[in-house]
Amino acid sequence: MTSDWTKHNAGAPKRVVVTKRLPGDRWLRILTDAGCEVDVSTTRRSLSVEQIRQAIGDRCDGAIGQLTETWGAELFEALAAAGGTVYSNYAVGYNNVDVAEATRREIRVGNTPGVLTETTAEMAVALLFAAARRVPEAERYLRDGKFDGWLPDLFLGKRLWGGTLGVVGAGRIGACFARMVAPGHDMHLIYQDIARNEALEAWFEAINRTRAEVGESPLRCEHVDHVDALLERADAVSLHVPLDEGTRHLIDARRLRLMKRDAILVNTSRGPVIDERALVEHLRATPSFRAGLDVFEDEPRLAPGLAELPNAVIVPHIASATDWTRQGMATIAAANVAAILRGDPVASDPRVEDFLEGDSPPRLAPSIVNAGDLGLPTA
């Protein structure tokens, strides 16, 4: 190991490689209490496949990696050859992981769902309103000393109240975002997903009963089968889909043209869900159209011209960046690894809070995405 790595609990019977230093220390205690020697990369740069392979070496029981890394056949072969049986992604998504290659080598693949739901939804809300009310533009104008006083037409933005909110992907995060925004701003909801979200629709029905009691009109919560129908009608659209071949460039030049000229597009899911070059051209050609982006197609690089566009609100992939969430993600990732190395079962119906609160987490793996394929016991 080079000087860019630190070792904890040296000499313990199990060895775990962690490719980035993680927030907090609960995750490290979980691993050391499970009898693991833990090697942690301290570099802020993304590690290459070769660097990770070298870190795995000839003895490694498990690993925690990042969504910026490609975990495919080469790394899973190296991990298996070193005696490894578990890998946990420090993210809820795992499009960077070839789960089939891991399963072929009987390596368990963990992720961190649940812990970042509300935090990511909050960032989508922040991007939506920052774009609608042109907050970054106005702040730069003020900081540059250009503000000479109130004007009737200074930074006119878009009023969302009473409009239509579109959500593409109504899973945990998408549904949470919809609940945060729509009722509080008198917005009707259109959502697109493979299946209806009956819990979300029931929640809106309950909200409408309360609205009726105080003399307010009901809000629609409408499921549509096709993205095009949603894009044509929504005043603001937020994307909450996983990245796969079906969602890559889900929003392309044709679909951008379907949207209202003054619509707002928010993405906190994965960058390649949007054709970023097409988005740049659309933003240039349609100044009243705005975008709020936390993720990018070719991170950390941006499509040429995106950074210069005043109608794009851009932040550096920080949707889950709160202390509570990032420490919770680390705890869940470590609990996955520790449980598998101890031979504990996989949680059948995990509560995130059970792993984040108290002196020690349950003796369960919170989330192993290929548990069923590998026939792992559950509890």
Side-chain angles (χ1 to χ4, degrees):
M1 306 292 286
T2 69
S3 59
D4 290 334
W5 292 80
T6 57
K7 187 180 292 291
H8 304 267
N9 204 28
K14 301 287 187 181
R15 178 172 179 263
V16 174
V17 167
V18 182
T19 64
K20 279 284 185 296
R21 186 164 47 198
L22 304 178
D25 56 12
R26 183 180 174 90
W27 67 272
L28 187 57
R29 292 199 307 273
I30 289 170
L31 291 173
T32 56
D33 288 351
C36 298
E37 174 183 288
V38 185
D39 284 312
V40 183
S41 171
T42 58
T43 181
R44 297 185 68 83
R45 298 184 302 274
S46 293
L47 300 181
S48 67
V49 168
E50 177 58 24
Q51 287 173 315
I52 298 171
R53 191 187 63 77
Q54 290 180 6
I56 290 170
D58 58 7
R59 184 178 78 88
C60 183
D61 298 279
I64 297 174
Q66 311 298 315
L67 57 85
T68 55
E69 302 158 358
T70 301
W71 281 78
E74 184 175 350
L75 286 182
F76 285 126
E77 181 61 30
L79 186 57
T85 57
V86 59
Y87 166 80
S88 196
N89 215 36
Y90 183 67
V92 62
Y94 46 92
N95 55 281
N96 61 308
V97 180
D98 191 330
V99 178
E101 291 290 350
T103 304
R104 190 171 296 121
R105 295 165 176 83
E106 298 190 349
I107 293 174
R108 289 75 169 157
V109 175
N111 68 333
T112 64
V115 69
L116 46 70
T117 299
E118 295 80 11
T119 303
T120 303
E122 286 176 350
M123 177 54 73
V125 174
L127 288 170
L128 172 62
F129 284 94
R133 298 305 300 272
R134 303 174 65 181
V135 172
E137 291 178 79
E139 183 186 26
R140 286 192 295 269
Y141 179 87
L142 181 62
R143 289 182 183 275
D144 289 345
K146 298 177 180 178
F147 180 51
D148 291 328
W150 182 89
L151 291 170
D153 61 352
L154 185 62
F155 291 109
L156 300 182
K158 182 179 178 66
R159 183 178 188 260
L160 295 173
W161 185 275
T164 298
L165 180 68
V167 172
V168 182
R172 288 189 184 95
I173 298 171
C176 184
F177 168 81
R179 293 196 303 268
M180 286 180 177
V181 176
H185 296 84
D186 259 26
M187 298 186 78
H188 301 291
L189 175 68
I190 307 174
Y191 74 94
Q192 187 275 332
D193 210 321
I194 296 171
R196 301 182 78 98
N197 186 327
E198 295 181 358
L200 179 62
E201 293 182 7
W203 189 85
F204 265 80
E205 290 173 2
I207 290 291
N208 283 331
R209 288 194 293 271
T210 300
R211 289 174 65 89
E213 291 173 0
V214 295
E216 295 182 356
S217 58
L219 298 175
R220 294 191 306 276
C221 177
E222 179 183 351
H223 173 259
V224 294
D225 292 323
H226 301 292
V227 173
D228 289 7
L230 181 150
L231 297 176
E232 290 172 339
R233 296 167 55 191
D235 296 291
V237 175
S238 192
L239 306 176
H240 301 279
V241 295
L243 177 62
D244 54 35
E245 288 310 307
T247 60
R248 187 175 296 275
H249 284 192
L250 177 71
I251 305 300
D252 56 12
R254 180 187 71 82
R255 284 187 163 142
L256 287 167
R257 290 192 296 270
L258 291 177
M259 298 179 70
K260 296 180 179 181
R261 291 184 64 80
D262 65 344
I264 300 165
L265 177 64
V266 174
N267 189 16
T268 55
S269 58
R270 287 290 184 263
V273 170
I274 297 176
D275 181 340
E276 200 167 296
R277 290 178 181 271
L279 177 61
V280 168
E281 291 306 311
H282 190 73
L283 288 166
R284 281 178 177 153
T286 319
S288 58
F289 187 94
R290 297 188 177 92
L293 307 174
D294 175 62
V295 289
F296 306 93
E297 186 168 0
D298 191 24
E299 291 184 17
R301 292 177 291 275
L302 307 183
L306 180 61
E308 289 74 45
L309 288 168
N311 49 343
V313 179
I314 52 177
V315 295
H317 205 148
I318 58 170
S320 63
T322 66
D323 286 336
W324 185 89
T325 297
R326 290 285 174 87
Q327 290 189 38
M329 291 167 63
T331 293
I332 297 298
N336 281 329
V337 172
I340 295 301
L341 295 184
R342 284 192 303 253
D344 297 335
V346 177
S348 59
D349 187 20
R351 290 181 67 255
V352 167
E353 293 80 4
D354 293 340
F355 291 88
L356 305 185
E357 300 170 355
D359 294 333
S360 59
R363 294 284 296 260
L364 296 167
S367 181
I368 302 296
V369 301
N370 58 347
D373 293 332
L374 291 171
L376 302 184
T378 61

